[in-house]
Amino acid sequence: MNKIAFTGNGTGKVPDMQGLFREMTALMTRLFPICRSITGDGFRESLKIISEYMPLTVHEVPTGTRVFDWTVPREWNIRDAYVRNSSGEKVIDFNESNLHVMGYSVPVHEKMPLSKLREHLHTLPERPDWIPYRTSYYKEDWGFCMTHRKFSGLREDMYEVHIDSSLRDGHLTYGEYYLRGQTPEEFLLSCHACHPSLCNDNVSGMVLTALLGRRLSSLSLRYSYRILFIPGTIGSITWLSLNEEAVKNIRHGLVVTAAGDPGMSTYKRSRQGNAEIDRAVEHVLKHSGGLYRVVDFSPYGYDERQYCSPGFNLPVGCLQRTPHGEYPEYHTSADNCDLVRPEHLTDSFLKYLSVLNVLENNRRYINTNPKCEPQLGSRGLYASTGGQSHAAADRMALLWLLNMSDGRHSLLDIAERAGMEFNIIHAASDALLKAGLLKDGQPCA
Ligand code: ZN
C-alpha cells in the first residue's frame, strides 16, 4: 500500500512547519533576483539551483526547431542596461531591478531626446511607485519599464540609451525530472520558470515544485511523476511536441503557480471538468477548513491551455491561490518577496501533498461479506478508541465502505458520498482489509 508521508489534513506525520518556512524562504530569496526569460542563462542558472532539490535533466532545444505551429525563438541574454541623462546620472538602471528592461529587448546604444525615448517607456500611472513587467518575445523591439513617479520627473534632455543584450540562435532550455513509480502511469507537475524578479508569479511555483519533487523522491509511489520546469507557453508547446509518445501515460496533472499570495486557494478545472484530478483537488479544498474557489476551464491562463488543447485534452488543472490578473501586484515590481508569505506557500504545499495523497491511495475494493452487514463487534471494529491501529476508522466510515465496496466505487467516491474526509475513509479501508472484509484493491486510473 502506498503512503504519501503526510497530507496536511490531520493524519499521518506532522510536518516541521518552521523548517518548511525556513527552507521555502531561503530558496525564494535565492531564485528571486535572477533575470529569467523564456530562454537564456537566467533560466539555466535557476535550473542549476533547483537541481539541488532533484536530479533534473536539462534539455536544450535549438532555435528554429518547429514545435507544432510555433518555432523555438532565438535565445536572449542580457548583461547590463541603463538610461543616462546629460549629467551622467543613470535615471534607469537594470542593476536596481531586472524589471526595468522589457524582456527580449534587442541591443541598443544611442542618444535620443526625451520625445523619442518616451515611446519606449512603460509605466503604471495608476500605481505610480510600481515598475510594470513587459516582454516582447515575438516582435523585435526594445523598451524600459519604470515607476510613473520617476517618469513624471524626467526633463527634456538628450539621453544615452544602452541595452547590452544579445538575441541570437541558441537554445530553449527546460528542466525535467522523471521519477519512476510502481506503474508507468504518470502524474505531471508543470511549472513555468521564465519570469524575472516576480515572486508569486512565478518564483512561488518554482519553490513549491522544488520542495515537492524532493519530497516525492523520498517516497514509495504508485504513480510515476514527471516534473517540468519550462518557459510559459512555448515551453509546454515544445515539450508536448517533442514528447507526444509520453503523453499517453499521463493520468493526472497540475500546473503549479501563484502559490504564495494571501488570497484563497483557487482551482481551475481541467478541460475534461470531472477528471479524477478535478475531483481530488475539490475534495481536498472542501475539507481544508479554509475558503476556496473552483472555476471551470477556460482557454486562457497558464500552460494548462496547451495540455488541455483538444488534440491532447489531458486531465491537467491548475491549483493556485489568486489567479493571474486578479491581484493588483500581478506583473509588477510589487509582486515581490513581501507579497509571498511562507505560511501561504506552506499551505499551498500541504494542499498539493493532500491531493497527491488522495490520488496515490484512491482504489476500489470489494466487500468479501456482501450479504447483509458483517458483524463488526466480533472483529473488534467497533472499538474505535484512540491508541488502536484503526483509531481513525470510525463506524460510519466502515459502514459506508462495506456498503459501497462493490468494485465500482473508489475510496474517493465513497468519501464524497459519505461527506467524509478521504483520510478517514482510507484509514477505515485499511482496518477492513486487515480484518479480511475487503479485498482486491484496484487502482482507479
Ligand atoms: Zn506571468
Side-chain angles (χ1 to χ4, degrees):
M1 200 78 204
N2 301 292
K3 291 265 195 302
I4 291 273
F6 66 85
T7 70
N9 271 342
T11 63
K13 202 169 112 190
V14 178
D16 167 13
M17 298 298 273
Q18 288 309 318
L20 257 180
F21 281 18
R22 271 196 306 278
E23 273 204 293
M24 287 184 152
T25 306
L27 181 55
M28 190 167 85
T29 311
R30 282 177 77 193
L31 290 172
F32 182 75
I34 299 171
C35 185
R36 281 167 293 268
S37 186
I38 54 171
T39 61
D41 290 335
F43 200 102
R44 292 188 185 95
E45 191 184 339
S46 303
L47 292 185
K48 204 164 161 212
I49 292 172
I50 291 165
S51 294
E52 296 169 20
Y53 293 76
M54 67 189 91
L56 277 184
T57 303
V58 175
H59 300 267
E60 299 277 358
V61 184
T63 298
T65 305
R66 284 293 288 177
V67 287
F68 297 126
D69 201 41
W70 297 57
T71 305
V72 171
R74 285 183 289 170
E75 182 177 327
W76 184 69
N77 283 292
I78 181 159
R79 285 155 294 278
D80 193 15
Y82 56 80
V83 175
R84 211 171 359 213
N85 64 20
S86 58
S87 323
E89 180 199 350
K90 284 184 183 172
V91 295
I92 306 175
D93 187 354
F94 173 74
N95 290 308
E96 285 174 5
S97 167
N98 57 38
L99 298 182
H100 274 316
V101 175
M102 182 170 79
Y104 260 67
S105 281
V106 294
V108 49
H109 194 169
E110 60 180 89
K111 288 195 172 165
M112 62 187 71
L114 181 61
S115 56
K116 183 172 177 202
L117 173 63
R118 204 182 267 136
E119 291 167 17
H120 295 271
L121 298 180
H122 305 269
T123 70
L124 292 169
E126 66 282 13
R127 301 278 182 184
D129 293 311
W130 296 358
I131 305 166
Y133 166 55
R134 296 280 184 275
T135 60
S136 185
Y137 299 138
Y138 300 105
K139 178 177 166 266
E140 270 195 25
D141 199 359
W142 62 267
F144 284 91
C145 305
M146 66 193 302
T147 68
H148 196 72
R149 198 172 302 283
K150 206 155 182 196
F151 168 79
S152 307
L154 291 179
R155 54 183 157 81
E156 290 301 333
D157 201 353
M158 282 301 282
Y159 289 93
E160 178 195 351
V161 175
H162 178 75
I163 298 180
D164 181 11
S165 64
S166 60
L167 186 57
R168 298 193 187 110
D169 284 358
H171 295 86
L172 176 150
T173 310
Y174 69 89
E176 182 169 27
Y177 175 38
Y178 179 72
L179 177 60
R180 191 178 299 279
Q182 287 165 8
T183 79
E185 296 174 332
E186 284 183 21
F187 198 123
L188 174 72
L189 290 162
S190 177
C191 174
H192 68 279
C194 53
H195 290 36
S197 294
L198 294 165
C199 203
N200 196 43
D201 172 26
N202 64 200
V203 172
S204 69
M206 296 161 73
V207 170
L208 190 153
T209 310
L211 269 77
L212 205 52
R214 190 185 61 183
R215 166 78 60 171
L216 288 170
S217 61
S218 69
L219 300 173
S220 155
L221 299 161
R222 178 173 126 205
Y223 289 108
S224 297
Y225 285 77
R226 191 179 296 275
I227 301 182
L228 299 177
F229 292 91
I230 50 175
T233 306
I234 188 68
S236 48
I237 292 170
T238 299
W239 187 84
L240 285 163
S241 169
L242 302 179
N243 293 278
E244 275 198 82
E245 258 306 290
V247 166
K248 66 178 189 309
N249 289 327
I250 296 173
R251 294 291 172 276
H252 320 287
L254 287 173
V255 167
V256 192
T257 184
D261 70 271
M264 68 175 93
S265 291
T266 303
Y267 179 62
K268 176 180 170 182
R269 291 187 180 117
S270 72
R271 181 175 179 271
Q272 297 180 22
N274 196 30
E276 204 182 340
I277 183 69
D278 300 318
R279 297 182 56 227
V281 177
E282 292 187 42
H283 180 84
V284 165
L285 294 180
K286 190 158 82 186
H287 291 272
S288 68
L291 292 173
Y292 68 96
R293 194 158 58 125
V294 176
V295 296
D296 273 326
F297 176 79
S298 65
Y300 192 66
Y302 292 106
D303 289 305
E304 69 279 2
R305 294 155 67 168
Q306 315 309 330
Y307 300 122
C308 294
S309 57
F312 290 108
N313 199 21
L314 295 173
V316 176
C318 178
L319 176 55
Q320 58 193 319
R321 299 185 81 85
T322 308
H324 60 91
E326 293 186 19
Y327 53 104
E329 299 88 351
Y330 173 74
H331 279 190
T332 77
S333 55
D335 182 0
N336 56 30
C337 295
D338 293 331
L339 177 69
V340 172
R341 304 306 310 160
E343 57 271 28
H344 303 134
L345 253 179
T346 305
D347 175 70
S348 300
F349 179 71
L350 296 180
K351 282 171 177 158
Y352 268 86
L353 277 177
S354 296
V355 170
L356 304 189
N357 172 66
V358 168
L359 293 168
E360 281 282 325
N361 293 297
N362 193 26
R363 300 175 85 87
R364 296 188 183 94
Y365 293 107
I366 294 171
N367 179 345
T368 58
N369 191 96
K371 292 182 176 163
C372 299
E373 291 176 359
Q375 217 188 0
L376 297 179
S378 67
R379 293 173 169 91
L381 286 167
Y382 266 164
S384 58
T385 49
Q388 299 190 28
S389 61
H390 49 79
D394 79 11
R395 182 178 163 174
M396 281 312 293
L398 297 173
L399 294 177
W400 274 113
L401 273 160
L402 288 167
N403 188 276
M404 294 194 64
S405 291
D406 52 7
R408 287 186 296 121
H409 296 95
S410 70
L411 296 187
L412 181 57
D413 294 332
I414 299 170
E416 286 288 289
R417 178 79 183 264
M420 299 175 89
E421 208 265 310
F422 181 85
N423 281 320
I424 296 171
I425 294 291
H426 180 220
S429 73
D430 275 352
L432 289 172
L433 280 166
K434 277 196 199 99
L437 289 171
L438 291 183
K439 66 165 186 182
D440 195 29
Q442 291 294 325
C444 292

